[in-house]
Amino acid sequence: ANKRKDSNPSTQSKERNQVQKFLEKVSNLDVALLSLSLLASLHNVAKDDSSTEIVSVYATVWPTGLSANTAIQTGLVESLLQPILHSYTRKFPKESNVFLTSADLNFANGNYRSALALYVETVAIKTDFFEHPIEQAILPDAYVNRMIRCCSELGRLTQAVVLSQFCLEPNYGQVFKYLEDRDTADAADSLFSLIWDMSILEFAMSLHTRRGEVARRRHVLSCIMQLELNTNNEVEIKRAAAN
């Protein structure tokens, strides 16, 4: 009798709602992060896709080897995770880990526009709204690559090129393909002033020269000639550019 009662869909739904309401009332940040970590781990188990895993603070706490449990379903986990994330982003607006989990969930679901916005918001929180440098500890390559993927999926190829510079070792083969693609849905040429990687600028220069695109070539050349990028400048000139 107990087994039949436990398997009743209406009972399960009621219990999930009770758990959801309880978790939404959490006001302690550590408990909130622990709750998100558990749900994120269950989501990873259900989805079973390492390329879209949600990274959480306490990921190593939870047991592994649950993938054989068919009772863990992506839809059921998300039905808890989504509203709880919505609640926690309002309760903890300065906690980057909450926004990062939300970004990862959107990325896993192919909501690339929302994911990209949330990744940027996460970096903004971590750097006090870009008052501090964006270092590897703040934006590791794994997340840079996810942001690049978001831009690529949205057709924002020049933005993807700009973001690639934050990788310790940019994938130049991929970057050059983005530059060669004429079908980009962003500001394109106007973003070249944000490129500081000389290898990328030199490839763009060569590309526009081969294509006979005089105006674009001139624009890239002006970026290359910026004082802070020209490594052949005297020390005094570099110091003036830095100021």
Side-chain angles (χ1 to χ4, degrees):
N2 287 337
K3 288 184 178 179
R4 286 196 298 272
K5 181 180 179 182
D6 290 342
S7 62
N8 189 309
S10 62
T11 302
Q12 292 177 352
S13 177
K14 182 179 179 181
E15 290 174 347
R16 281 197 301 273
N17 289 337
Q18 290 173 339
V19 171
Q20 177 183 324
K21 288 179 181 178
F22 170 77
L23 291 177
E24 285 178 341
K25 290 179 180 178
V26 170
S27 57
N28 180 279
L29 178 57
D30 290 330
V31 176
L33 292 176
L34 189 65
S35 302
L36 286 180
S37 179
L38 172 59
L39 291 172
S41 296
L42 291 174
H43 185 275
N44 291 340
V45 167
K47 198 168 180 67
D48 194 23
D49 181 0
S50 59
S51 67
T52 60
E53 279 193 353
I54 300 175
V55 180
S56 57
V57 179
Y58 304 109
T60 57
V61 171
W62 313 111
T64 58
L66 295 174
S67 55
N69 191 339
T70 56
I72 304 176
Q73 300 175 21
T74 307
L76 293 178
V77 178
E78 281 192 24
S79 68
L80 274 176
L81 188 53
Q82 287 279 19
I84 291 167
L85 270 172
H86 181 69
S87 174
Y88 290 175
T89 51
R90 287 184 287 109
K91 281 187 179 181
F92 310 107
K94 295 183 179 181
E95 178 49 53
S96 60
N97 288 301
V98 174
F99 286 88
L100 189 56
T101 299
S102 186
D104 280 349
L105 181 60
N106 277 279
F107 181 84
N109 289 335
N111 301 324
Y112 298 112
R113 188 183 302 276
S114 297
L116 182 60
L118 286 162
Y119 283 132
V120 172
E121 191 164 0
T122 300
V123 176
I125 293 171
K126 286 185 173 184
T127 58
D128 194 15
F129 290 89
F130 306 104
E131 285 293 320
H132 307 295
I134 301 175
E135 301 172 344
Q136 272 286 311
I138 292 173
L139 188 62
D141 282 7
Y143 282 110
V144 176
N145 288 327
R146 288 193 173 190
M147 294 173 75
I148 291 171
R149 169 77 184 281
C150 289
C151 289
S152 176
E153 293 289 342
L154 294 169
R156 301 174 181 177
L157 304 183
T158 314
Q159 291 181 25
V161 171
V162 172
L163 284 169
S164 70
Q165 299 173 108
F166 288 97
C167 290
L168 283 176
E169 296 182 6
N171 182 346
Y172 287 112
Q174 182 186 61
V175 170
F176 296 161
K177 285 181 180 179
Y178 288 151
L179 289 172
E180 289 174 329
D181 196 328
R182 297 174 186 267
D183 188 22
T184 181
D186 53 26
D189 294 354
S190 64
L191 295 174
F192 274 95
S193 59
L194 302 177
I195 298 175
W196 61 84
D197 187 312
M198 195 59 73
S199 296
I200 297 175
L201 288 171
E202 288 176 350
F203 178 86
M205 179 84 166
S206 174
L207 176 66
H208 295 317
T209 300
R210 292 197 312 269
R211 289 177 174 175
E213 297 168 338
V214 178
R216 288 182 170 180
R217 179 185 180 279
R218 189 180 299 118
H219 178 58
V220 174
L221 180 60
S222 69
C223 294
I224 291 175
M225 295 304 293
Q226 292 179 81
L227 291 177
E228 60 268 30
L229 293 185
N230 195 332
T231 56
N232 294 320
N233 280 329
E234 297 294 335
V235 175
E236 292 77 8
I237 297 176
K238 290 180 182 178
R239 189 179 296 116
N243 296 328

